[in-house]
Amino acid sequence: MLDRMPLSDALAAGLRWLYETEQPNDAWMQHLGQSIPVADNRSLTFAPSGANQLPVIAIEVSWPTWRKGPAGDLVPGNPLAPNELPRLAAALEQRGFSVRSTWNGFPAHSGSVGLARPAHHSQYAAVERYRAGCREHPARSVFCECDSWHAGFTRAVRPLALISA
Ligand SMILES: [Zn+2]
């Protein structure tokens, strides 16, 4: 099994990917972003164009569990710690990235940080190409299954590719 890296390494790699990595102009990527598995049952997901077309970084529990809450409903059994999302936001500020806002976090399984600085224009453009859907089969939009639609995803540079390189 692949060793899961420390969160700070994943953060550095993801930021390098978001801001410095050029996507080929015939590649596209899903709008929800690209994930890096990290230590302690966590993943970091980097979305170049989230809320307001600006980057969003999410921290989430990789293998969530659920338990019965006081009202008998299901609640997260292994949520983020109360300080996890604020700590991620602080780490980003420390690296010089202004935080616009944060969403969710404890007691949920995931939380997100919105950044003020736009991603590399080619990262943004790759997400826009995804949103535009398959060129050859416009009626099928992003749900197309044809080879040329699939090929665009494989041409995209992923953050994990930067790490293993
Ligand atoms: Zn197609």
Side-chain angles (χ1 to χ4, degrees):
M1 194 186 146
L2 203 73
D3 270 350
R4 293 165 77 93
M5 70 185 73
L7 188 133
S8 57
D9 291 359
L11 195 57
L15 287 168
R16 194 152 60 90
W17 178 80
L18 263 184
Y19 287 107
E20 295 165 33
T21 302
E22 177 118 33
Q23 291 293 349
N25 59 18
D26 59 354
W28 39 87
M29 292 183 302
Q30 210 243 42
H31 59 297
L32 296 175
Q34 305 293 320
S35 290
I36 304 179
V38 295
D40 305 319
N41 192 20
R42 297 290 183 267
S43 308
L44 283 183
T45 301
F46 298 83
S49 175
N52 300 322
Q53 280 79 54
L54 288 167
V56 173
I57 300 178
I59 180 168
E60 49 208 323
V61 175
S62 302
W63 292 285
T65 63
W66 298 88
R67 63 180 177 81
K68 245 196 195 126
D73 50 341
L74 284 181
V75 298
N78 58 348
L80 296 180
N83 66 351
E84 256 181 293
L85 186 61
R87 218 162 49 196
L88 176 62
L92 284 159
E93 291 274 3
Q94 229 165 49
R95 290 168 187 265
F97 295 95
S98 294
V99 169
R100 279 185 313 122
S101 48
T102 64
W103 301 275
N104 302 313
F106 177 84
H109 280 132
S110 67
S112 310
V113 180
L115 296 178
R117 183 172 143 201
H120 191 284
H121 63 89
S122 70
Q123 295 281 9
Y124 174 77
V127 175
E128 288 303 297
R129 277 192 292 274
Y130 167 81
R131 288 186 167 129
C134 183
R135 306 306 171 276
E136 294 178 23
H137 310 100
R140 296 186 203 151
S141 168
V142 301
F143 304 108
C144 201
E145 304 252 319
C146 77
D147 289 346
S148 99
W149 181 237
H150 280 299
F153 294 97
T154 62
R155 288 189 289 264
V157 182
R158 320 248 159 203
L160 272 175
L162 301 181
I163 292 157
S164 50

